[in-house]
Amino acid sequence: MSSLTMGNRFGRNTTVQSENNRPNSLTSGHRACQGCGEALAARCSLDAAYIETKGNIAVVNATGCLEVFSCAYPENSWNIPWVHSLFGNAAAVASGVAAAFKSQKKDIRVIAQGGDGGTTDIGMACLSGMFERNDDVLYICYDNEAYMNTGVQRSSATLTFARTATTLPNGQYMGNDIRTGKNVPEIAMAHGIPYVASASIGDIHDLEKKVKKAIHIKGAKYIQIHSPCPLGWGYPTENTIQLAKLAIKCGLYPLFEAENGVVVNSTAIDNIISVESYLKGQKRFAHLFGKNAQVNSWKVIQELANNHIRKYKLGEVVYE
């Protein structure tokens, strides 16, 4: 059965993960690591978009882990119309694809996707241009907080004090300074585009709901999805979903939606936990604990989480 035929059997209100015969936009045979958060996030996002549009989607993929592990010439693992762009121009290519469909009067929804390196760093100029023109594209960033494909180098989405291959000044693990890095959802909101959201593979149903909503909105849309990486973060492969959930529960990754530059919805946290519970399960933060623990460093990260809890009204701060 073709993926198009399969997709036409689903109604708009179908929950993707509950269907045994759901479409596989990203099918088996790819080369992702075991426990890859990005692979799961991409499959869930594109399956949801596919179902909502009855297969009328086209995807532009920036260079990065997702492209490399899914498209080893001469084969690929995509069951949807898909094109590989350069590292930094996925938003621009997607804008051109959307313009071509519009000129042909075809109602095909265009999705651009990339990792945080290709989005928050290399692709920022093209992404900002897409926002400023309000091009009819849904851009999805799979945020694993570093350049994982090229050796775990720091990106502007790397959490402060995280160990990477390029954040070792004077033997210290600095990550991004607390005052640096980029909050791209907020940058997108500053452009006043119709829809911005954060999501996580720690809450698949919320992720799917936001993709389904965004795909029907005309104009520029941006969704950033937290996608833990077992190789780059240093944790057992079976813990990917659990870590994503902990990031939500401690407030480091707030889930919210914004329309036309204004936050309209956020997901409250039941039983807020400390960031220590989240950080301890990852080798990239091992230097903050143990014999030479850098307690003040992880307390700085706690304050980042507390600020998110206050700003997005996620609950009462309990770890000051």
Side-chain angles (χ1 to χ4, degrees):
M1 180 182 294
S2 71
S3 57
L4 179 59
T5 303
M6 183 185 295
N8 287 335
R9 294 166 54 188
F10 289 82
R12 282 192 57 187
N13 295 322
T14 301
T15 301
V16 178
Q17 297 306 308
S18 66
E19 295 293 333
N20 291 330
N21 60 341
R22 62 184 180 266
N24 290 326
S25 300
L26 178 63
T27 191
S28 59
H30 58 69
R31 302 180 182 184
C33 299
Q34 290 182 345
C36 175
E38 187 174 40
L40 177 60
R43 180 183 173 189
C44 291
S45 299
L46 299 182
D47 283 358
Y50 191 103
I51 288 171
E52 277 298 285
T53 63
K54 297 184 178 180
N56 292 313
I57 61 172
V59 178
V60 177
N61 204 133
T63 296
C65 265
L66 181 59
E67 168 264 324
V68 169
F69 73 63
S70 66
C71 187
Y73 181 83
E75 299 171 337
N76 73 70
S77 294
W78 296 100
N79 279 332
I80 52 177
W82 180 93
V83 61
H84 168 215
S85 74
L86 299 178
F87 215 147
N89 70 346
V93 173
S95 294
V97 172
F101 286 139
K102 182 178 180 180
S103 70
Q104 296 172 348
K105 296 182 170 53
K106 293 181 178 179
D107 186 20
I108 298 176
R109 312 306 293 154
V110 179
I111 300 171
Q113 58 182 7
D116 51 282
T119 303
T120 71
D121 294 341
I122 302 172
M124 179 53 64
C126 291
L127 184 64
S128 178
M130 187 198 99
F131 291 161
E132 186 273 329
R133 295 186 301 270
N134 198 28
D135 292 325
D136 193 12
V137 173
L138 167 58
Y139 193 105
I140 300 176
C141 171
Y142 304 110
D143 178 14
N144 55 26
E145 301 184 9
Y147 289 85
M148 300 307 181
N149 180 55
T150 54
V152 196
Q153 295 88 2
R154 182 195 71 85
S155 81
S156 57
T158 301
L159 185 59
T160 187
F161 299 119
R163 181 197 65 200
T164 73
T166 53
T167 49
L168 303 169
N170 300 319
Q172 299 299 310
Y173 302 107
M174 296 301 293
N176 279 330
D177 185 85
I178 190 171
R179 293 171 297 278
T180 64
K182 294 175 189 168
N183 188 321
V184 178
E186 292 191 355
I187 293 173
M189 289 166 58
H191 286 76
I193 63 175
Y195 185 75
V196 176
S198 62
S200 169
I201 60 170
D203 191 337
I204 295 295
H205 294 304
D206 177 73
L207 185 163
E208 292 173 355
K209 180 183 70 175
K210 288 170 177 173
V211 171
K212 288 181 176 183
K213 178 177 178 178
I215 203 67
H216 292 293
I217 297 172
K218 296 294 183 180
K221 291 82 59 177
Y222 180 78
I223 299 178
Q224 187 158 308
I225 303 175
H226 200 217
S227 309
C229 171
L231 179 65
W233 294 15
Y235 64 83
T237 57
E238 66 270 19
N239 290 352
T240 294
I241 299 296
Q242 177 64 15
L243 272 178
K245 289 180 180 293
L246 292 177
I248 297 170
K249 288 181 69 65
C250 72
L252 277 176
Y253 214 87
L255 304 182
F256 67 92
E257 295 177 285
E259 297 176 1
N260 303 309
V262 178
V263 174
V264 296
N265 182 52
S266 59
T267 302
I269 305 171
D270 294 327
N271 301 317
I272 293 172
I273 65 172
S274 72
V275 297
E276 182 179 4
S277 303
Y278 170 65
L279 301 175
K280 275 190 170 180
Q282 306 169 58
K283 289 183 180 179
R284 62 178 180 155
F285 293 112
H287 53 285
L288 303 185
F289 304 97
K291 183 177 179 180
N292 298 311
Q294 299 178 26
V295 177
N296 290 334
S297 296
W298 67 259
K299 286 186 175 180
V300 168
I301 301 176
Q302 181 66 66
E303 186 55 30
L304 290 175
N306 292 348
N307 289 339
H308 290 159
I309 294 168
R310 298 185 189 101
K311 182 173 185 176
Y312 296 104
K313 298 179 174 58
L314 307 178
E316 295 295 326
V317 174
V318 292
Y319 297 96
E320 294 284 4

